Amino acid sequence: MRLPGTETPLKAVLWDMDGTIVDTEPYWIAAEHALVEAHGGTWSHEQAMQLVGQSLTFSAGLLQKAGVAMEIREIIDTLTSQVISSVRQQVPWRPGARELLEDLHQSGVRCALVTMSEGPLARQVVDSLPRQYFEFLVTGDTVSRGKPHPEAYLTAVERLRETDPHLHLGHCVALEDSAPGVAAAVASGVATVAIPHIVPLPEHSHYTLWDTLEGRTREDLEQLLTEAGNHGPAGEPASAVGNTP
């Protein structure tokens, strides 16, 4: 617990969406199956697992290789439309996500969404929340390089700095569920919490592994930064960026 009068290192939390806030992965997988089968192909569980957390452009490319005779943009639009339709029927919230969002909101900790889903789906999910938790959204259609590249996370930090020039990488925590997402967050230089969902993740010194967000609070994230000694000025994550595609 933080002592009265002491300043928390935690200024912002950067949230992944699919698999972290909402369990949309089954919706994506169902859409992929339907699209491949409509083009006379087959789509295995193993193939679907390769797309978890990846950029939609990357995913569309693999679907083309599986026999989908459509342009990249058309594939992305078709999949996204199907997932949005499913989310409108039922928003599959992940355990503890909304509660942690509310705790951070009440504590004045800034939140941003960093997702490889595009704007229409991200806004559908965000609009389903009880209040405006996110200052802004960094979506897959607003960056040139998707996860596992760190561009989306670095973009989010730069946007946070527009209104708080004293904020740096060491003031931020990223919450992710997938290997590409975790790789992107780690490469950006922000402290990273991995909450694996569809695909297991191994323990690693580069990130903190949690089974769930259920029962987690702002204090858990503050303690994570403090214990990591991550509240000093962060260095340039150049070496980490260089290890990403």
Side-chain angles (χ1 to χ4, degrees):
M1 182 178 293
R2 179 163 48 95
L3 296 175
T6 60
E7 184 179 355
T8 172
L10 180 66
K11 288 190 174 185
V13 178
L14 311 178
W15 290 76
D16 171 55
M17 187 178 78
D18 299 286
T20 302
I21 298 175
V22 285
D23 185 11
T24 49
E25 297 298 354
Y27 292 167
W28 285 108
I29 292 169
E32 294 156 14
H33 273 286
L35 187 58
V36 173
E37 289 169 6
H39 285 257
T42 57
W43 190 243
S44 69
H45 176 75
E46 290 72 21
Q47 286 172 303
M49 291 303 97
Q50 292 179 49
L51 307 193
V52 174
Q54 296 281 3
S55 72
L56 287 174
T57 300
F58 175 88
S59 299
L62 289 190
L63 288 166
Q64 285 180 327
K65 292 179 180 178
V68 177
M70 297 166 63
E71 296 296 324
I72 293 288
R73 183 69 254 170
E74 192 177 0
I75 292 173
I76 292 173
D77 289 344
T78 300
L79 293 177
T80 300
S81 177
Q82 285 192 248
V83 175
I84 288 175
S85 178
S86 297
V87 168
R88 283 177 177 158
Q89 295 178 45
Q90 181 178 0
V91 184
W93 303 109
R94 292 287 293 139
R98 287 175 294 174
E99 292 81 1
L100 181 55
L101 276 167
E102 179 65 21
D103 185 33
L104 294 169
H105 176 79
Q106 295 294 338
S107 304
V109 177
R110 304 167 71 185
C111 287
L113 193 70
V114 183
T115 176
M116 288 300 93
S117 288
E118 295 192 343
L121 174 57
R123 286 189 290 272
Q124 180 68 43
V125 171
V126 167
D127 289 346
S128 301
L129 289 163
R131 66 173 90 236
Q132 188 174 340
Y133 292 118
F134 298 104
E135 282 191 31
F136 56 83
L137 284 58
V138 178
T139 56
D141 49 341
T142 63
V143 296
S144 59
R145 293 166 293 187
K147 300 173 185 177
H149 194 279
E151 179 185 346
Y153 279 104
L154 293 173
T155 298
V157 173
E158 284 306 306
R159 290 192 62 178
L160 290 165
R161 284 175 52 82
E162 289 174 4
T163 52
D164 180 4
H166 299 292
L167 180 143
H168 54 69
L169 296 172
H171 288 131
C172 305
V173 176
L175 303 177
E176 275 282 358
D177 75 298
S178 68
V182 168
V186 169
S188 75
V190 301
T192 304
V193 178
I195 315 101
H197 176 41
I198 296 292
V199 179
L201 294 171
E203 291 188 6
H204 200 289
S205 60
H206 289 168
Y207 55 81
T208 300
L209 198 64
W210 288 354
D211 292 334
T212 179
L213 288 178
E214 193 165 16
R216 294 294 184 175
T217 66
R218 178 205 78 240
E219 290 185 349
D220 292 311
L221 297 175
E222 290 175 344
Q223 184 177 359
L224 184 153
L225 283 185
T226 302
E227 290 180 350
N230 211 19
H231 53 280
E236 294 295 325
S239 60
V241 173
N243 291 330
T244 61

